[in-house]
Amino acid sequence: MGEKLICNNKKAFHEYFIEEKFEAGISLKGTEVKSLRAGKANMGDSFALVRGGEVFLHNLNIPPYDFGNRENHDPDRPRKLLLHLAEIGKLFIKTQERGYALVPLRLYFKNGLVKVELGLAKGKKLYDKREDLKQKDHKRELAQALKERHRG
């Protein structure tokens, strides 16, 4: 069945160095899944925290389902992530270190189930961001030059 992307967090790659990635399940209510199937979600400022041996995703906005009733969900509620105990322990230890954060990278369907790709991230400094932009510009110019060369 494969994967179907719901949304991704482009900002995360600009703001952080992603050192390791984890795939986690997510605990959702019925109307949340229906809203995600309609392609509605926003993970702009979302982050994950390890608390009490569990991982929770905060600030993931899933708008209420259009055809829902009074049982519709709260769009910004914290959602529990489903990970193996060993992974949770590893993430807890790493996030206690200075500068590390757990950032969701993308939200997608995999074999009918909603999955979140989490990144163990270390914050970038301003000069790191500038360097990345320079490298992107350089790659773009190089690709443009090669394209021009092949045309002529």
Side-chain angles (χ1 to χ4, degrees):
M1 200 166 170
E3 291 183 4
K4 180 186 173 226
L5 184 69
I6 300 167
C7 69
N8 59 8
N9 191 354
K10 294 176 186 170
K11 192 171 135 184
F13 292 98
H14 180 69
E15 299 286 329
Y16 302 97
F17 292 114
I18 308 300
E19 295 192 358
E20 202 171 344
K21 293 179 182 178
F22 297 89
E23 182 180 70
I26 184 169
S27 179
L28 297 170
K29 294 182 177 176
T31 56
E32 290 176 320
V33 176
K34 289 181 177 189
S35 194
L36 289 175
R37 288 207 186 281
K40 296 179 179 179
N42 181 10
M43 59 174 26
D45 294 325
S46 54
F47 60 95
L49 291 176
V50 182
R51 263 184 304 167
E54 297 178 330
V55 182
F56 291 93
L57 187 61
H58 296 270
N59 291 353
L60 171 66
N61 184 286
I62 301 175
Y65 182 55
D66 292 335
F67 304 104
N69 54 16
R70 65 173 190 252
E71 299 296 320
N72 246 341
H73 62 276
D74 175 24
D76 292 317
R77 73 180 183 87
R79 293 167 178 89
K80 184 177 174 182
L81 295 181
L82 310 170
L83 288 155
H84 291 283
L85 204 54
E87 288 177 324
I88 293 172
K90 182 179 182 179
L91 290 174
F92 178 73
I93 291 168
K94 276 296 205 180
T95 54
Q96 295 304 305
E97 291 180 28
R98 181 172 161 79
Y100 280 96
L102 268 178
V103 182
L105 303 175
R106 61 191 186 114
L107 191 65
Y108 57 96
F109 284 104
K110 183 176 181 181
N111 299 328
L113 300 173
V114 180
K115 300 286 183 178
V116 178
E117 186 176 62
L118 282 178
L120 185 60
K122 192 167 179 87
K124 284 186 182 179
K125 305 281 188 230
L126 185 60
Y127 57 83
D128 291 328
K129 294 177 191 177
R130 285 187 192 134
E131 188 62 35
D132 279 356
L133 287 173
K134 284 180 190 174
Q135 286 178 357
K136 279 183 187 176
D137 287 343
H138 182 69
K139 283 181 184 176
R140 192 180 308 120
E141 288 170 8
L142 220 127
Q144 191 69 31
L146 286 173
K147 201 176 196 182
E148 291 293 322
R149 193 205 257 163
H150 285 292
R151 279 193 206 154

